[in-house]
Amino acid sequence: MTAPILRRLADLRAKTADWRRAGETIGLVPTMGALHAGHLSLVEAAKQACDRVIVTIFVNPKQFNNAEDLANYPRTENKDAEKLAPYGVDLIYVPDPDQIYPDGYATNVSVGGSITAVMEGPFRPGHFDGVATVVAKLFLQTSADKAFFGQKDYQQLMVVTRMARDLDIPIEVIGCETVREPSGLAMSSRNLLLPEEALAKAAALNAAMREAAAKASAGEPWEPLEAAARQALAEAGFGDVEYFDLRCAETLEALETPSRPARLLAAAWLDGIRLIDNIAVPQLNS
Ligand code: PAF
């Protein structure tokens, strides 16, 4: 059976108030829809950890820095509800736009500092303000105890964790493993926009990342590894590689070697679609 879809905040609050009175815990899986196996793994994690689970679907205009990207973003609400049916989700919150941004809305949540100053920050101006603002609202609207995010958007996960901590929102943010296609391609709603032949090429991103990470962990210096990866991606048919960075997993500071817990993070364009991915880089034995 498909879960009830609520579109108004008052209806959502009436439900969550009942659950709270019964002493039940609430898990939240925020999404922009076009659900795939990655989202469904978050739902499974939420079901295991909480008595009640809310999935939200809201294509948040404030986090798009490109009007065409917003217009093209896949919207598949009926299919999404069908995909969620076997998971026993308690409700799907698909807020009408005025439930998030009512007339005269004027507040912005902005996470500053080093975690937003790099990678997605400069390449997508305003993106993280949009994410932090909508996620803060969803945390407050749902009053969830735990929220589940994919590690695929590693920087986003850091931003929402910091935002909740800085604003004292009583919620635990949980990062879950990236789910991948057999080819290694990270699952993403944007993959739906890739033509069939580009899907095969897209796997080159993760392959280049795994190769560079393995060599960095074996002690090879980063700069030539990055250059070789950029070359491999160009040969595989990728366009601009916006970043292909080795960074500290906790601060996102750039690293020359994985001398402490590290992450390799990349963003690259393929056939007009921007793909991002990240993987853990095993620490160099010093
Ligand atoms: O990762 C996403 O789908 C979105 O950025 C999120 C967290 C649902 C906020 O709109």
Side-chain angles (χ1 to χ4, degrees):
M1 208 178 61
T2 57
I5 295 180
L6 303 185
R7 300 184 193 275
R8 310 298 293 171
L9 176 57
D11 297 334
L12 172 70
R13 288 225 160 113
K15 267 280 169 220
T16 54
D18 285 347
W19 297 342
R20 289 252 163 256
R21 265 192 296 276
E24 293 171 322
T25 57
I26 302 173
L28 167 67
V29 180
T31 82
M32 297 204 299
L35 301 184
H36 50 67
H39 295 116
L40 299 174
S41 75
L42 303 181
V43 172
E44 274 177 350
K47 284 288 295 180
Q48 275 180 17
C50 303
D51 300 316
R52 299 287 184 171
V53 173
I54 301 173
V55 174
T56 64
I57 300 177
F58 182 65
V59 181
N60 173 34
K62 198 170 153 54
Q63 73 184 74
F64 285 79
N65 56 311
N66 174 324
E68 200 185 328
D69 190 23
L70 173 61
N72 291 339
Y73 201 85
R75 290 160 171 87
T76 57
E77 184 182 313
N78 292 341
K79 274 199 201 154
D80 291 343
E82 278 168 28
K83 283 184 189 164
L84 289 170
Y87 291 84
V89 161
D90 294 278
L91 69 84
I92 308 174
Y93 181 48
V94 189
D96 290 336
D98 70 340
Q99 301 298 284
I100 300 291
Y101 302 120
D103 249 9
Y105 184 85
T107 299
N108 186 43
V109 179
S110 186
V111 177
S114 58
I115 62 168
T116 51
V118 294
M119 300 185 294
E120 298 297 293
F123 278 106
R124 302 188 67 192
H127 170 66
F128 283 133
D129 283 10
V131 170
T133 302
V134 80
V135 171
K137 294 206 61 152
L138 293 171
F139 283 0
L140 295 168
Q141 291 193 348
T142 59
S143 69
D145 300 279
K146 296 177 197 276
F148 298 80
F149 291 83
Q151 287 182 354
K152 180 195 165 257
D153 296 296
Y154 191 82
Q155 204 177 356
Q156 165 174 282
L157 175 61
M158 293 182 83
V159 168
V160 297
T161 304
R162 181 70 59 87
M163 175 276 292
R165 193 200 71 180
D166 288 356
L167 296 181
D168 303 316
I169 301 180
I171 193 165
E172 185 187 349
V173 175
I174 296 167
C176 302
E177 282 290 325
T178 302
V179 178
R180 297 181 182 279
E181 303 286 355
S183 68
L185 174 66
M187 295 224 180
S188 163
S189 305
R190 283 194 172 80
N191 295 354
L192 283 179
L193 303 171
L194 282 170
E196 193 66 31
E197 62 285 2
L199 268 178
K201 288 193 261 175
L205 179 59
N206 184 250
M209 292 172 73
R210 279 186 287 119
E211 185 172 344
K215 289 183 172 168
S217 296
E220 292 191 32
W222 183 248
E223 227 176 89
L225 291 178
E226 180 186 342
R230 285 176 177 272
Q231 177 69 28
L233 289 172
E235 282 164 16
F238 275 76
D240 195 22
V241 177
E242 291 184 346
Y243 57 83
F244 194 95
D245 291 358
L246 181 68
R247 292 187 176 271
C248 170
E250 277 147 33
T251 62
L252 296 186
E253 189 186 326
L255 297 179
E256 281 304 315
T257 56
S259 48
R260 47 191 148 133
R263 224 63 215 176
L264 165 47
L265 308 102
W269 287 85
L270 178 66
D271 284 14
I273 304 300
R274 186 173 183 274
L275 301 178
I276 65 169
D277 196 359
N278 73 89
I279 56 174
V281 182
Q283 203 163 332
L284 184 67
N285 295 326
S286 46

